[in-house]
């Protein structure tokens, strides 16, 4: 029987095994099969166990690959209970390295869910109100309560604008009129409410599932022009806040404002190990976040 080259022995010793593929490499191979028609729209994927055995990787790598393809709308029905399904229009969906970025509401949730597959989940965020992050956290929370995910530890740090600064946005068109600023008050109420919901939902995991959870907020002395999410020290998700003129209904009054739709901001993804550019961006983003956290930010109370 022939001996496989990578396992052949030399002087009684086995050659080292090839390094395991990353979840990104597994995703690239599966994406190619979908694009080529080997895996057809509506077809069931192999089970996670079968894929892990085929690619010689742990199931966590398979799940990470499937999450990537789900975020690109190539797969549906991803869970531990049944194989995923190739999306009906997967042959036409843009995906892969050349795919355009997607709105935060579409792209963030599957990446957050994938991050929660780690034993120690670490999420750092810079944002205006934490609306997108609170919404995205809902998916891994559902999976935890369904028994499909069980991280041992979760650390979340969030940088938000301080309550007493002059925000660049949202602001009334024409500026503030005296001390009364209903636009600022609405933003502050939203910031506090979203932060409180995020903290409450995560801390509840301590009592319900015995997960070690820490959630911290600090206040920035400026309005962040971008939103940034750092996941498990391996991925950075980045989006611009694009300011537009809009109408805000506050009470019974409609006010013209300069504001941004953060949930619609196009999210760009960078991954550690995805090339020099991506790796450098992730590393520099962590340095930037930590510098803000440790220097000019201050304690933030999510109260009125």
């Amino acid at each position: 029987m022939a001996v496989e080259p990578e396992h052949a022995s030399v002087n009684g010793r086995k050659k080292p095994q090839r390094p395991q593929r990353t979840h990104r490499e597994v995703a690239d191979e599966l994406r190619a099969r979908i694009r080529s028609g080997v895996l057809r729209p509506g077809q069931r994927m192999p089970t996670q166990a079968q894929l892990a055995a085929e690619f010689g990787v742990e199931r966590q790598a398979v799940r990470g690959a499937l999450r990537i393809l789900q975020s690109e709308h190539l797969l549906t029905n991803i869970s531990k209970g049944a194989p995923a399904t190739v999306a009906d229009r997967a042959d036409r969906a843009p995906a892969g390295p050349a795919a355009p970025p997607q709105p935060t509401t579409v792209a963030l949730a599957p990446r957050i869910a994938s991050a929660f597959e780690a034993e120690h989940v670490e999420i750092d965020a810079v944002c205006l109100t934490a609306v997108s992050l609170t919404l995205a956290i809902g998916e891994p929370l559902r999976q935890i309560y369904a028994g499909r995910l069980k991280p041992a530890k979760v650390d979340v740090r969030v940088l938000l604008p301080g309550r007493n600064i002059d925000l660049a946005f949202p602001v009334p068109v024409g500026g503030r009129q005296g001390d009364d600023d209903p636009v600022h008050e609405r933003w502050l109420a939203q910031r506090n409410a979203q932060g409180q919901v995020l903290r409450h939902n995560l801390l509840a995991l301590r009592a319900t599932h015995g997960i070690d959870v820490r959630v911290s907020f600090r206040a920035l002395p400026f309005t962040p022009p971008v939103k940034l999410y750092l996941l498990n020290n391996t991925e950075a998700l980045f989006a611009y806040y694009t300011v537009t003129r809009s109408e805000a209904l506050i009470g019974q009054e409609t006010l013209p404002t300069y504001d941004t739709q953060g949930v619609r901001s196009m999210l760009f993804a960078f991954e550690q190990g995805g090339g020099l550019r991506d790796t450098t961006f992730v590393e520099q983003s962590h340095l930037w976040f930590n510098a803000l956290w440790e220097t000019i930010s201050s304690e933030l109370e999510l109260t009125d």
Side-chain angles (χ1 to χ4, degrees), residues 14-302:
K14 288 185 177 181
K15 289 185 178 180
Q17 300 279 339
R18 288 183 303 173
Q20 279 199 354
R21 300 192 193 189
T22 67
H23 70 287
R24 182 70 67 181
E25 290 172 327
V26 174
D28 289 343
E29 173 61 29
L30 294 177
R31 185 188 300 109
R33 294 180 189 180
I34 294 172
R35 290 284 183 233
S36 66
V38 173
L39 294 170
R40 300 179 302 278
Q43 180 179 342
R44 282 288 185 92
M45 296 283 290
T47 66
Q48 292 184 14
Q50 289 171 331
L51 290 171
E54 176 187 351
F55 289 104
V57 298
E58 301 294 332
R59 286 200 189 185
Q60 181 174 333
V62 171
R63 287 194 291 270
L66 297 180
R67 292 291 175 195
I68 290 173
L69 299 181
Q70 182 186 44
S71 73
E72 297 172 353
H73 304 293
L74 295 176
L75 295 179
T76 60
N77 302 328
I78 292 180
S79 71
K80 288 188 179 179
T85 303
V86 180
D88 288 339
R89 298 180 63 85
D91 55 332
R92 300 185 185 181
Q102 296 175 315
T104 302
T105 48
V106 174
L108 186 59
R111 285 183 164 89
I112 293 286
S114 181
F116 266 77
E117 294 176 358
E119 188 78 5
H120 182 191
V121 181
E122 295 180 87
I123 298 175
D124 293 335
V126 181
C127 45
L128 190 64
T129 61
V131 170
S132 298
L133 182 58
T134 302
L135 291 172
I137 288 286
E139 176 59 24
L141 291 181
R142 284 189 290 271
Q143 294 191 40
I144 289 172
Y145 282 100
R148 292 193 290 268
L149 290 176
K150 181 70 184 291
K153 187 176 182 181
V154 177
D155 282 312
V156 176
R157 300 188 297 174
V158 185
L159 286 168
L160 297 166
R163 61 172 296 157
N164 295 320
I165 68 172
D166 290 330
L167 286 175
F169 54 86
V171 292
V173 173
R176 302 172 65 174
Q177 304 298 321
D179 294 331
D180 185 30
D181 187 352
V183 175
H184 185 90
E185 292 303 316
R186 186 186 67 161
W187 162 80
L188 181 61
Q190 187 179 49
R191 185 207 71 172
N192 290 344
Q194 293 297 324
Q196 289 167 0
V197 169
L198 177 65
R199 182 170 60 189
H200 172 78
N201 289 346
L202 286 170
L203 291 180
L205 297 175
R206 288 180 178 174
T208 60
H209 291 76
I211 299 173
D212 181 10
V213 179
R214 300 177 188 176
V215 185
S216 305
F217 297 88
R218 288 185 68 83
L220 291 170
F222 61 88
T223 310
V226 299
K227 57 168 59 180
L228 176 70
Y229 307 98
L230 303 172
L231 311 181
N232 293 346
N233 295 309
T234 61
E235 190 171 15
L237 307 174
F238 173 91
Y240 293 102
Y241 280 120
T242 302
V243 180
T244 60
R245 180 169 176 146
S246 59
E247 301 291 326
L249 180 61
I250 302 178
Q252 302 298 316
E253 186 178 5
T254 300
L255 297 176
T257 63
Y258 291 123
D259 203 352
T260 178
Q261 291 293 324
V263 294
R264 298 177 188 171
S265 300
M266 304 304 286
L267 207 60
F268 298 81
F270 301 83
E271 187 176 27
Q272 187 91 26
L276 179 59
R277 181 195 67 127
D278 279 31
T279 296
T280 302
F281 186 88
V282 173
E283 292 173 350
Q284 291 300 311
S285 295
H286 276 284
L287 290 174
W288 182 71
F289 182 94
N290 287 330
L292 292 176
W293 188 269
E294 296 165 3
T295 58
I296 61 174
S297 64
S298 56
E299 291 296 325
L300 187 152
E301 295 294 334
L302 296 170

